[in-house]
Amino acid sequence: MSEATLPPLPSADRPDVAARLREALLAASFTADGLLELLGAPAYAALARSETVPALRATRGDTPLETLVRLFLLQQPVPHARVEDVLPVHACVESGWLTRVGDGDGDVAATVDVRPYGGPGGEDWFIVSDLGCAVGGAGGIGSRDENVVLGVGGASTTLAGITVRTPVASALDLGAGSGIQALHAAQHATRVTATDLNPRALHITALTLALSGAPAADPRQGSLFEPVRDDETFDLIVSNPPFVISPGARLTYRDGGMGGDDLCRSLVQQAGERLNVGGFAQFLANWQHEEGEDWQDRLRSWVPRGCDAWIVQREVQDVTQYAELWLRDAGDHRGDPEEYQARYDAWLDEFEARKVRAVGFGWITLRRTASAEPTVTVEEWPHPVEQPLGDTVRAHFDRIDYLREHDDAALLAGHFKLAPEVMQEQVGLPGAEDPEHVVLRQNRGMRRATKVDTVGAGFAGVCDGSLSAGRILDAIAQLVGEDPVLLRDRTPAQIRLLVEQGFLEPA
């Protein structure tokens, strides 16, 4: 399909109308909190699964909020007279937010989806997307146009949650889509640049920012870093790229269009030279698990020179699960069975040719460093975490700096504190005098768990910042009857691990 099958978009050159529309939406409590209160938790959750029947049942009245939900979120035509009491109808029709249905003053319908979205500071924002794309995936939109622009999804909110939110001069949202990341960045970046290969996405990004009352971004059309000037660098780069590894590039919003995971690799490798020192680049990505290759080594090879990196694999799917996931995302399972089978075969043929046995998904964070010895951490952590994680990510790199600057002698002279909400678990047989092992567990952030020996557990338990690490170890050596010199010699590695993983913090 071509872009001609998609309806025209509202004008991005009428900020006055966007401001009036925003004011009307807020006045009717068309917000994330207002929706939850109106619909109730079950119907609200059903929307995220592309199931609209519960929400339709909950909006059979004629209140302003029910009218707006049916109009902008459920794509139902609404009588002109009812909308006129809620919105500046004439201005919205003239600027393209609404269209008339039928003759005279009959019904009006929305030309785009508008979804209320709560900002991290309690802001009331609105994410604009193509019709049918505000909730769920593309499988529920009925149209699989290659240029369709989706709204808020799990990937979008995940990236927003892990992004480091410190005040910066410049930020780049690469592959802006509906503008969610640009909207977040506008709250703490003086200048935001938004790029996308799809001009429709840049238009919708402008609408999202305007309707949310945020400053406009600098729009650039093009692939990856092509729209960025050679001498242009940023303090923050974020991207939820079209990372899906697929045969061909059928859907612009998700398919990379390069072989295998080359798009994600190129994005990561090119980001380093676009970062200012101390700047962060944060991506969601897919990567191949190929026969005869360690997936961690594959990802380490992506990291550009001059950058620290923290790469977390959150999920792994075998090639059949992966193909089925994205075939369903596009709604292919609802079409012709033979066409579905042909596309499934093409996916498996592609993986077989590349000797791919599985596909990993996760987060990649780069930080440009002035250190001559960058640190690259690649790990698997599929367990639940506590979002938002931006502060956790920033603290990880702060600890990396600390460990890099302190040799073992300096480490033993340092003072540490146990991180908040760290608990100790002892595991062993009932009635045993000593536990088989001790586990330290975080209840915040990454919610890590790590095994420690009795010395490590005792050390962590008394770290309150008052004594140096060396003095604590000397006291432990006296208690357990161990040579203090030997204990000082073998313990720094365990202390480093506890610091790196966030169980201990430099005091």
Side-chain angles (χ1 to χ4, degrees):
M1 296 183 184
S2 66
E3 188 173 348
T5 64
L6 294 170
L9 294 170
S11 171
D13 300 322
R14 293 294 304 273
D16 57 321
V17 178
R20 291 174 63 192
L21 178 55
R22 172 178 171 77
E23 184 178 342
L25 297 178
L26 293 176
S29 296
F30 187 67
T31 62
D33 290 341
L35 273 186
L36 182 59
E37 184 176 349
L38 171 68
L39 301 179
Y44 189 79
L47 278 177
R49 302 191 299 270
S50 298
E51 296 291 348
T52 59
V53 172
L56 286 167
R57 292 174 60 85
T59 55
R60 289 179 289 191
D62 58 1
T63 66
L65 180 55
E66 288 170 301
T67 298
L68 292 175
V69 171
R70 292 180 73 85
L71 184 66
F72 282 118
L73 204 54
L74 302 177
Q75 291 85 58
Q76 299 297 305
V78 177
H80 179 281
R82 186 187 300 178
V83 180
E84 200 167 32
D85 293 335
V86 184
L87 299 176
V89 175
H90 178 74
C92 287
V93 170
E94 184 184 46
S95 59
W97 289 95
L98 300 177
T99 186
R100 299 188 187 278
V101 180
D103 299 327
D105 292 336
D107 293 345
V108 294
T111 58
V112 289
D113 267 322
V114 176
R115 176 176 176 174
Y117 179 74
E123 302 91 346
D124 289 314
W125 292 339
F126 300 98
I127 308 301
V128 180
S129 62
D130 272 312
L131 287 174
C133 299
V135 293
I141 67 177
S143 168
R144 285 166 279 165
D145 191 289
E146 63 182 11
N147 291 310
V148 72
V149 179
L150 268 60
V152 180
S156 304
T157 55
T158 294
L159 179 60
I162 67 172
T163 300
V164 176
R165 302 293 177 194
T166 54
V168 294
S170 58
L172 170 65
D173 179 6
L174 193 152
S178 57
I180 300 165
Q181 310 307 327
L183 179 57
H184 278 278
Q187 311 308 305
H188 62 100
T190 304
R191 174 175 58 86
V192 177
T193 301
T195 73
D196 205 291
L197 181 63
N198 183 2
R200 191 174 181 88
L202 293 176
H203 191 133
I204 286 182
T205 289
L207 297 177
T208 290
L209 294 173
L211 196 57
S212 299
D218 175 11
R220 313 270 187 90
Q221 184 184 352
S223 176
L224 299 181
F225 289 100
E226 287 176 2
V228 178
R229 297 191 309 269
D230 291 342
D231 62 345
E232 202 169 8
T233 55
F234 301 88
D235 301 308
L236 174 67
I237 299 172
V238 291
S239 183
N240 177 17
F243 54 68
V244 176
I245 301 170
S246 62
R250 189 159 57 104
L251 298 173
T252 303
Y253 74 87
R254 70 167 207 192
D255 297 330
M258 297 185 184
D261 52 16
D262 284 354
L263 184 135
C264 290
R265 176 185 55 79
S266 298
L267 178 61
V268 174
Q269 289 180 337
Q270 294 173 23
E273 62 186 9
R274 301 296 185 180
L275 281 176
N276 295 323
V277 173
F280 287 91
Q282 299 187 260
F283 316 105
L284 301 184
N286 275 176
W287 43 80
Q288 297 174 162
H289 287 228
E290 296 185 2
E291 293 179 15
E293 179 187 49
D294 186 295
W295 68 270
Q296 293 182 324
D297 290 341
R298 182 181 190 84
L299 289 172
R300 287 189 183 94
S301 73
W302 290 9
V303 178
R305 295 180 59 186
C307 288
D308 294 321
W310 184 20
I311 302 173
V312 182
Q313 179 167 274
R314 295 286 292 157
E315 185 179 0
V316 181
Q317 292 184 317
D318 66 48
V319 292
T320 59
Q321 291 174 311
Y322 188 81
E324 291 162 14
L325 169 67
W326 295 111
L327 287 167
R328 285 188 171 88
D329 172 82
D332 290 324
H333 62 303
R334 298 174 181 167
D336 177 56
E338 290 187 4
E339 185 177 352
Y340 174 80
Q341 182 175 340
R343 284 182 170 156
Y344 200 151
D345 269 332
W347 227 300
L348 296 185
D349 286 344
E350 181 86 3
F351 285 134
E352 185 176 336
R354 294 178 176 275
K355 298 183 178 180
V356 177
R357 55 182 177 80
V359 177
F361 167 81
W363 318 327
I364 297 177
T365 299
L366 307 177
R367 186 190 59 170
R368 188 69 183 267
T369 180
S371 172
E373 298 181 2
T375 299
V376 176
T377 302
V378 183
E379 62 175 321
E380 185 166 21
W381 188 253
H383 310 293
V385 299
E386 182 190 46
Q387 286 274 34
L389 278 168
D391 288 344
T392 299
V393 173
R394 178 184 49 78
H396 168 86
F397 288 93
D398 289 344
R399 294 192 300 270
I400 291 298
D401 283 341
Y402 178 89
L403 293 172
R404 190 158 45 205
E405 295 164 1
H406 289 72
D407 60 16
D408 286 355
L411 199 69
L412 293 174
H415 294 239
F416 300 94
K417 292 190 300 184
L418 189 66
E421 297 194 42
V422 172
M423 304 298 291
Q424 175 179 303
E425 300 174 1
Q426 294 186 346
V427 181
L429 294 173
E433 183 175 347
D434 296 314
E436 292 180 17
H437 59 261
V438 178
V439 174
L440 298 182
R441 188 178 300 277
Q442 300 168 349
N443 288 321
R444 303 296 300 273
M446 291 292 286
R447 292 179 172 163
R448 294 186 185 278
T450 189
K451 292 181 183 180
V452 292
D453 59 20
T454 54
V455 171
F459 179 87
V462 297
C463 278
D464 60 4
S466 60
L467 296 176
S468 69
R471 290 189 62 186
I472 293 174
L473 290 179
D474 289 345
I476 291 175
Q478 187 173 2
L479 284 173
V480 300
E482 188 168 341
D483 185 334
V485 175
L486 293 178
L487 193 61
R488 278 176 172 255
D489 186 55
R490 69 176 176 85
T491 306
Q494 190 169 193
I495 296 175
R496 284 186 181 279
L497 180 64
L498 292 176
V499 172
E500 180 182 346
Q501 295 189 345
F503 291 94
L504 295 178
E505 300 173 349

